[in-house]
Amino acid sequence: MSNILLIEDEKNLARFVELELQHENYKVTIANDGREGLELALTSEWDAILLDLMLPSLNGIEICRRIRQNGKQTPIIMLTARDSVMDRVSGLDHGADDYIVKPFAIEELLARLRSLLRRVEHTETTKKQTTFTYRDLTVEKESRIVLVGDEVIDLTKREYDLLLTLMGNINIVLTREVLLNKVWGYETEVETNVVDVYIRYLRNKIDRPGEESYIQTVRGTGYVMRT
């Protein structure tokens, strides 16, 4: 459940937006005053902030500026009855992520909020992703996605683990014994020639006709991906 801070001094509007957000399974906290809203924004963690521009004691632009000045990257949508270009630019320049003009349809606000939260989620996921690249081959470790160019390649767990091991050791020749231990573990019943079989499986899936194989064979030793 996403945790939303709504800083809005029009109590009827604030209550209306709160009810609509709760209906969509958001948890909502309301501040009707600029200073109270700023304190809540800085002392608690929020998934998004809906911030009115015109507020008593401290306006939305200043609140937004101070939130960003304190290093908080919480997504902010500004709400305002003022529709001038300068107001919009000022809000965005001071760190707002989006802007919606009153009176607004609640469906539009909900759509913008969903879109903003999706963007943040995607950004966070991307930040956490460990990516290996070699030529036009990409492996996203956490999501276990393998791409050749823009094409997603479907690999089995063994094939994926084998490729990831090679990608994590670019320019290092890995013997069959090392690959066997890293990918299959110390399963004594598995012969080293299984590595050759899976290298062939991998090449069949990732290599392109007429182009040099991504995985090079070092005769009598093992395999390597060389830059």
Side-chain angles (χ1 to χ4, degrees):
M1 180 182 290
S2 295
N3 200 13
I4 309 299
L5 174 61
L6 172 59
I7 309 175
E8 170 60 68
D9 65 321
E10 294 181 44
K11 293 185 179 180
N12 289 338
L13 175 60
R15 180 59 177 160
F16 169 69
V17 172
E18 178 187 29
L19 290 173
E20 291 292 331
L21 289 174
Q22 287 174 341
H23 182 70
E24 298 293 323
N25 295 318
Y26 294 104
K27 182 180 178 182
V28 184
T29 299
I30 296 176
N32 298 125
D33 173 88
R35 292 195 182 278
E36 177 194 5
L38 177 62
E39 183 177 356
L40 284 169
L42 295 179
T43 57
S44 300
E45 293 300 320
W46 309 96
D47 292 296
I49 297 172
L50 304 180
L51 175 60
D52 187 29
L53 179 62
M54 302 301 293
L55 290 163
S57 75
L58 203 63
N59 68 48
I61 296 291
E62 183 62 17
I63 292 171
C64 192
R65 187 187 70 79
R66 294 192 191 184
I67 290 172
R68 297 299 186 236
Q69 191 176 51
N70 277 269
K72 292 269 189 178
Q73 297 304 313
T74 313
I76 297 172
I77 299 178
M78 297 204 74
L79 318 173
T80 181
R82 295 163 64 177
D83 190 24
S84 78
V85 172
M86 288 307 298
D87 286 330
R88 294 199 299 274
V89 169
S90 182
L92 296 170
D93 278 350
H94 284 85
D97 296 276
D98 203 354
Y99 202 103
I100 190 166
V101 177
K102 300 177 184 176
F104 50 79
I106 191 65
E107 292 82 6
E108 182 182 3
L109 176 61
L110 291 171
R112 287 181 183 233
L113 181 57
R114 285 193 298 269
S115 176
L116 185 56
L117 291 174
R118 280 197 302 270
R119 291 206 308 269
V120 171
E121 182 180 4
H122 175 73
T123 300
E124 290 303 313
T125 302
T126 303
K127 283 180 182 177
K128 294 174 184 175
Q129 197 71 247
T130 305
T131 302
F132 296 90
T133 57
Y134 172 68
R135 287 161 48 185
D136 63 343
L137 179 62
T138 303
V139 175
E140 296 177 357
K141 183 177 179 181
E142 284 73 18
S143 61
R144 300 181 70 86
I145 292 175
V146 177
L147 299 164
V148 175
D150 295 325
E151 181 186 357
V152 177
I153 306 298
D154 185 28
L155 300 181
T156 66
K157 182 182 184 304
R158 293 291 194 206
E159 291 165 351
Y160 172 82
D161 290 344
L162 180 57
L163 178 61
L164 186 63
T165 301
L166 289 163
M167 292 279 286
N169 293 276
I170 296 294
N171 294 322
I172 298 173
V173 177
L174 299 177
T175 66
R176 290 171 176 81
E177 289 76 13
V178 167
L179 289 170
L180 191 65
N181 290 336
K182 285 181 177 292
V183 177
W184 281 265
Y186 294 89
E187 300 174 17
T188 53
E189 70 273 14
V190 177
E191 300 293 334
T192 55
N193 64 356
V194 77
V195 175
D196 302 319
V197 173
Y198 273 81
I199 290 289
R200 187 166 67 251
Y201 290 161
L202 258 182
R203 284 171 169 164
N204 287 339
K205 290 186 176 182
I206 65 175
D207 286 353
R208 292 178 169 174
E211 295 185 11
E212 182 185 16
S213 177
Y214 292 100
I215 304 166
Q216 297 177 32
T217 302
V218 180
R219 293 192 179 279
T221 305
Y223 297 95
V224 65
M225 299 178 85
R226 280 203 178 96
T227 54

